């Protein structure tokens, strides 16, 4: 499902350097990404999503080499095939919760906003415990509620790949396990693949595999 070969990545500014010789994730796998703060976990998710592109090497999702495509193609591929739960949620404050959840359907012709989709959006919101908040704006929600809106938005199109950047990080312990179970249920139902950054050691046994960033960390010799 995800194949990374021999990538190097640097931001235009700053010292950060990420090098990953090889990383493969099979379709249907649930993989946790762990590592110290600042080690590049979010950067990896952005490279997989095609938001960032590597300086060399390749990133492929299924049989699509996303890293060699143009901006527009990467964006369309991402919206239709990848559900990304961003670390900072990426919600739009000027839209209410319902319109945030439906937003992917409004920005690409590849997704069709039918009454069935609206109904599924409502069911998802109910499962996530935010159905009574659909007409509020993100600014009027708690951190944990905003996070659940971001999860609903990512899951609604039924993507084959879900990237979750600390998706349970701001939830209390009871909600954390509940939301993780819902996330896993959705992943299983769609035969999807999950790549999830987490700091929660106790959640690791729920995953099939763990990618530990300590193995990619290196000091550069100039
Ligand atoms: P993590 O998610 O593991 O905490 P990140 O992938 O967010 O780490 O960041 C890795 C490193 O890259 C950090 O040192 C961070 O400061 C740096 N970094 C992140 N974004 C940028 C950027 N846009 N420009 C320059 N450096 C960045
Ligand atoms: Mg991060």
């Amino acid at each position: 499902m995800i194949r990374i070969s021999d990538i190097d990545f640097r931001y235009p500014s700053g010292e950060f350097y990420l090098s990953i010789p090889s990383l493969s994730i099979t379709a249907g796998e649930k993989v946790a990404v762990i590592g110290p703060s600042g080690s590049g976990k979010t950067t990896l998710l952005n490279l997989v999503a095609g938001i960032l592109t590597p300086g060399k090497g390749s990133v492929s999702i299924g049989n699509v080499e996303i890293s060699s495509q143009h901006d527009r193609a990467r964006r369309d591929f991402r919206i239709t095939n990848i559900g990304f739960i961003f670390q900072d949620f990426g919600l739009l404050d000027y839209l209410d919760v319902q319109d945030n959840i439906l937003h992917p359907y409004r920005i690409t012709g590849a997704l069709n906003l039918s009454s069935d989709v609206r109904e599924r959006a409502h069911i998802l919101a109910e499962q996530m415990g935010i159905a009574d908040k659909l007409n509020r704006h993100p600014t009027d929600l708690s951190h944990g509620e905003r996070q659940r809106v971001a999860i609903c938005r990512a899951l609604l199109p039924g993507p084959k790949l879900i990237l979750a950047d600390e998706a349970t990080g701001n939830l209390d312990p009871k909600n954390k396990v509940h939301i993780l179970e819902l996330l896993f249920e959705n992943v299983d139902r769609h035969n999807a693949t999950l790549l999830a950054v987490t700091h929660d050691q106790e959640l690791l046994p729920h995953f099939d595999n763990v990618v530990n960033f300590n193995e990619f960390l290196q000091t550069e010799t100039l």
Side-chain angles (χ1 to χ4, degrees):
M1 181 66 188
I2 305 176
R3 216 168 46 253
I4 291 180
S5 344
D6 210 13
I7 58 168
D8 273 359
F9 177 81
R10 268 170 220 284
Y11 286 102
S13 66
E15 305 290 297
F16 180 73
Y17 171 66
L18 178 65
S19 169
I20 301 180
S22 167
L23 178 66
S24 283
I25 292 167
T26 318
E29 247 186 317
K30 301 185 189 82
V31 176
V33 179
I34 60 169
S37 177
S39 58
K41 304 180 296 298
T42 296
T43 305
L44 171 68
L45 260 50
N46 283 323
L47 285 162
V48 170
I51 292 168
L52 298 172
T53 50
K56 83 166 178 64
S58 70
V59 179
S60 298
I61 312 291
N63 48 22
V64 175
E65 190 180 318
I66 191 165
S67 52
S68 62
Q69 297 194 328
H70 291 293
D71 288 5
R72 184 61 197 259
R74 292 203 312 274
R75 179 176 177 274
D76 284 348
F77 182 85
R78 180 167 65 250
I79 296 167
T80 45
N81 297 285
I82 301 177
F84 201 146
I85 305 160
F86 295 98
Q87 191 165 14
D88 60 0
F89 316 138
L91 299 176
L92 300 165
D93 288 340
Y94 61 89
L95 295 178
D96 67 13
V97 166
Q98 169 152 294
D99 286 332
N100 266 286
I101 295 172
L102 297 174
H103 193 245
Y105 287 81
R106 300 224 165 86
I107 53 173
T108 175
L111 294 172
N112 178 25
L113 182 48
S114 61
S115 55
D116 173 60
V117 169
R118 287 175 185 280
E119 197 185 319
R120 283 196 292 113
H122 204 268
I123 293 169
L124 258 180
E126 254 167 15
Q127 290 176 332
M128 295 287 166
I130 50 165
D132 58 337
K133 314 265 175 349
L134 287 172
N135 298 319
R136 288 217 213 155
H137 286 251
T139 41
D140 302 332
L141 298 179
S142 74
H143 214 63
E145 287 164 349
R146 286 206 290 275
Q147 194 156 37
R148 285 179 275 161
V149 177
I151 294 173
C152 288
R153 181 182 58 185
L155 293 182
L156 185 62
K160 283 286 176 207
L161 174 60
I162 295 163
L163 303 174
D165 205 347
E166 305 194 29
T168 56
N170 299 291
L171 304 171
D172 56 75
K174 196 166 141 246
N175 253 321
K176 196 158 61 185
V177 174
H178 174 63
I179 299 291
L180 194 75
E181 277 168 0
L182 284 171
L183 198 57
F184 278 22
E185 248 172 60
N186 265 277
V187 170
D188 288 337
R189 192 174 320 132
H190 294 103
N191 271 326
T193 307
L194 174 69
L195 190 57
V197 174
T198 182
H199 281 299
D200 261 303
Q201 290 291 331
E202 72 206 67
L203 295 181
L204 295 186
H206 297 272
F207 290 87
D208 302 316
N209 258 316
V210 176
V211 171
N212 188 341
F213 250 79
N214 284 317
E215 67 187 87
F216 302 131
L217 281 179
Q218 36 204 288
T219 39
E220 206 180 11
T221 38
L222 289 170

